[in-house]
């Protein structure tokens, strides 16, 4: 009911007869703000260049990037290699380490001067902090953690889709009256575009008129996070288990499969809440967003809050004894049956195939070969 009402309201506002406010006409262009740490660009920024290119082409404008930092000129070149036609570069010692105030000032000054209609950032600690501050300063809207971005070329509205109401519906949000339209997207949600070093583009250097003594915060020390055992966001194979496992000890079955495939263990929130596995393994809306080459969803029903964290995986293998489980709607391969029979059988098969002399003979990932041999 509520969903239907929201849809109707959206259609009324966005599709039929919507005219952007006059001031919005003066905003043109799609921007991606490039996040960096010690001069290294965050992968999410390059992922955003992919979706940014698509949005810009549908709007008939160039994709542009913003690079902020100290000694970061090389990132302007990288942004161009990922598809930016123009890069606004603010290279200033004041921006050496991230602090909200100088980064907000630099971004807001650029937006006021060049007026982009869309501004995208990664939904990382950096992006979440900066985007909120920038949106507040510019008095515009911001949609955090989007899972899909599209534009309506007629109205030029950015359709920002994200889970809402506890993840029970996917809401498409528009920002009608203010510019730029701002959105953040989590790492691994969007596809990484191809980097092409032969691309050319323009670099526009801008000054930041801000002295160190005008800033109320200092970074005294940077301490690197140590001892993190699970890097789900970087895993190429994830073997994830849910409440269907029935008990913590049964994660051992999944571990055996993961070990054979060189994979990492993942979990649904229900499994984490049950205390069967630690929270750093949780995939989904309140966990990690992943995009591995292969994702095994074992005894996981496929609640929307889980799906938003893994549905862009290249290959999804779902194992569930309920043929109506929603996980099958996103699965590449669905196996209906008892996981306690299927998982050990898969482990045995993969082990046999991978230890055969033919496995990996022609190169490529052993698990890819095994999947093809199924
Ligand atoms: C605000 C909010 C945020 C949330 N964030 C997350 C999140 O980040 N990640 C997340 O995962 N969830 C999240 N949830 C919870 C989510 O709604 C689901 O409750 C949860 O994902 C369910 O986990 P599950 O699939 O393991 O358990 P269930 O839904 O209980 O599913 C268990 C599945 O196992 C199958 N099964 C049972 N026995 C067997 C067997 N022997 N063989 C094969 N299959 C079997 C069943 O058919 C069933 O489909 C969130 C919820 C809210 C409200």
């Amino acid at each position: 009911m509520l969903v239907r009402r929201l849809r109707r309201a959206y259609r009324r506002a966005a599709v039929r007869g919507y005219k952007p406010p006059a001031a919005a006409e003066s905003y043109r262009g799609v921007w991606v703000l490039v996040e960096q740490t010690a001069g290294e660009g965050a992968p999410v920024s390059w992922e955003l260049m992919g979706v940014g290119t698509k949005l810009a082409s549908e709007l008939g404008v160039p994709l542009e990037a913003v690079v902020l930092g100290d000694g970061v000129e090389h990132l302007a070149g990288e942004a161009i290699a990922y598809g930016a036609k123009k890069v606004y570069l603010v290279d200033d010692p004041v921006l050496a380490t991230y602090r909200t105030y100088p980064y907000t000032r630099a971004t807001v000054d650029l937006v006021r001067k060049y007026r982009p209609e869309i501004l995208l950032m990664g939904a990382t600690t950096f992006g979440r902090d900066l985007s909120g501050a920038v949106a507040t300063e510019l008095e515009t809207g911001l949609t955090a953690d989007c899972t899909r971005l599209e534009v309506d070329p007629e109205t030029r509205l950015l359709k920002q889709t994200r889970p809402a109401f506890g993840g029970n519906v996917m809401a498409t949000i528009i920002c009608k009256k203010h510019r730029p339209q701002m959105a953040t997207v989590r790492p691994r949600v969007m596809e990484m575009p191809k980097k092409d070093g032969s691309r050319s583009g323009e670099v526009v250097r801008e000054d930041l008129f801000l002295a160190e003594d005008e800033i109320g915060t200092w970074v005294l020390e940077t301490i690197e996070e140590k001892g993190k055992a699970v890097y789900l966001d970087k895993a190429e194979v994830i073997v994830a288990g849910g409440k269907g496992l029935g008990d913590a000890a049964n994660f051992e079955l999944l571990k055996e499969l993961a070990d054979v495939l060189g994979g990492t263990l993942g979990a649904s929130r229900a499994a984490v809440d049950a205390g069967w596995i630690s929270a750093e393994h949780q995939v989904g809306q309140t966990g990690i967003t992943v995009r591995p080459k292969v994702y095994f969803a074992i005894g996981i029903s496929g609640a929307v809050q889980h799906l938003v964290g893994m549905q862009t995986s290249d290959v999804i293998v779902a194992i569930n004894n309920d043929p109506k489980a929603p996980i099958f709607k996103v699965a590449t391969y669905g196996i209906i049956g008892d996981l306690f029979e299927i998982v050990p059988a898969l482990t045995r098969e993969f082990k046999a195939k991978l230890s055969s002399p033919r496995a990996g003979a022609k190169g490529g990932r052993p698990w890819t070969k095994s999947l093809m041999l199924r």
Side-chain angles (χ1 to χ4, degrees):
M1 184 67 182
L2 177 65
V3 178
R4 234 181 290 140
R5 273 218 314 266
L6 283 172
R7 266 199 207 123
R8 264 205 309 271
Y10 169 72
R11 260 188 237 122
R12 266 202 312 272
V15 183
R16 271 187 245 137
Y18 167 74
K19 293 258 189 317
E25 304 282 341
S26 64
Y27 285 78
R28 283 291 178 265
V30 177
W31 281 15
V32 171
L33 194 135
V34 176
E35 172 177 346
Q36 55 85 21
T37 311
E40 195 181 326
V44 66
S45 305
W46 312 136
E47 288 161 16
L48 287 174
M49 305 290 285
V51 66
T53 301
K54 185 170 163 286
L55 300 176
S57 112
E58 281 168 23
L59 290 170
V61 292
L63 173 70
E64 298 173 342
V66 174
V67 173
L68 310 175
D70 181 27
V72 289
E73 193 175 348
H74 60 285
L75 289 177
E78 215 171 329
I80 290 168
Y82 276 109
K85 299 276 185 260
K86 194 187 268 185
V87 181
Y88 299 97
L89 173 68
V90 185
D91 208 331
D92 191 301
V94 156
L95 301 171
T97 26
Y98 177 72
R99 284 173 293 174
T100 310
Y101 180 58
Y103 271 72
T104 303
R105 266 286 297 274
T107 312
V108 166
D109 287 354
L110 287 175
V111 168
R112 289 204 170 121
K113 185 165 177 185
Y114 294 103
R115 302 166 86 82
E117 61 201 297
I118 292 173
L119 172 57
L120 307 177
M121 297 188 203
T124 55
T125 311
F126 165 96
R128 283 171 211 259
D129 187 66
L130 180 62
S131 59
V134 168
T136 307
E137 188 71 24
L138 293 171
E139 297 185 5
T140 189
L142 164 68
T143 307
D145 287 4
C146 294
T147 53
R148 199 168 66 230
L149 294 173
E150 291 162 320
V151 279
D152 180 336
E154 219 174 284
T155 60
R156 304 187 78 84
L157 285 171
L158 178 65
K159 298 193 263 177
Q160 308 157 78
T161 303
R162 57 150 296 147
F165 299 112
N168 292 314
V169 291
M170 296 302 283
T172 299
I173 295 160
I174 51 172
C175 177
K176 280 164 55 182
K177 296 191 177 156
H178 302 272
R179 293 294 179 273
Q181 303 165 84
M182 287 183 61
T184 65
V185 177
R186 283 198 202 186
R188 300 257 164 178
V189 170
M190 301 296 173
E191 201 172 333
M192 179 69 85
K194 284 218 164 60
K195 188 177 177 182
D196 179 355
S198 68
R199 287 191 180 119
S200 59
E202 184 190 350
V203 179
V204 178
R205 291 176 168 277
E206 288 289 339
D207 290 321
L208 175 68
F209 297 99
L210 189 64
E212 185 57 50
D213 58 14
E214 291 176 70
I215 305 165
T217 50
W218 295 268
V219 178
L220 301 179
E221 194 185 356
T222 308
I223 302 163
E224 269 189 47
E225 190 181 23
K226 277 199 192 124
K228 192 176 168 196
V230 183
Y231 288 95
L232 266 185
D233 51 341
K234 296 190 176 71
E236 293 205 330
V237 178
I238 294 176
V239 179
K243 205 68 196 286
L245 284 174
D247 191 82
N250 293 327
F251 260 100
E252 197 47 42
L253 282 180
L254 271 53
K255 189 167 180 314
E256 284 166 20
L257 178 59
D259 286 347
V260 169
L261 299 173
T264 304
L265 280 184
S268 70
R269 177 159 150 181
V272 171
D273 286 350
W276 298 346
I277 190 163
S278 63
E280 58 192 348
H281 293 269
Q282 185 181 318
V283 173
Q285 188 185 326
T286 42
I288 312 274
T289 303
V290 298
R291 200 190 181 114
K293 297 238 159 54
V294 187
Y295 187 89
F296 287 86
I298 303 174
I300 293 177
S301 57
V304 66
Q305 297 91 347
H306 189 81
L307 299 185
V308 293
M310 46 62 76
Q311 63 193 351
T312 53
S313 304
D314 290 355
V315 171
I316 297 170
V317 183
I319 304 170
N320 201 300
N321 61 7
D322 174 6
K324 293 205 178 102
I327 193 73
F328 289 125
K329 290 195 185 130
V330 299
T332 322
Y333 301 101
I335 307 175
I336 300 165
D338 185 358
L339 70 91
F340 296 102
E341 288 171 23
I342 294 161
V343 175
L346 278 179
T347 307
R348 263 198 316 278
E349 271 299 295
F350 279 127
K351 207 184 256 177
K353 298 276 194 251
L354 292 171
S355 60
S356 90
R358 282 177 54 223
K362 289 183 191 154
R365 298 265 165 199
W367 46 261
T368 317
K369 190 163 277 297
S370 302
L371 271 180
M372 291 186 315
L373 290 171
R374 87 201 159 270

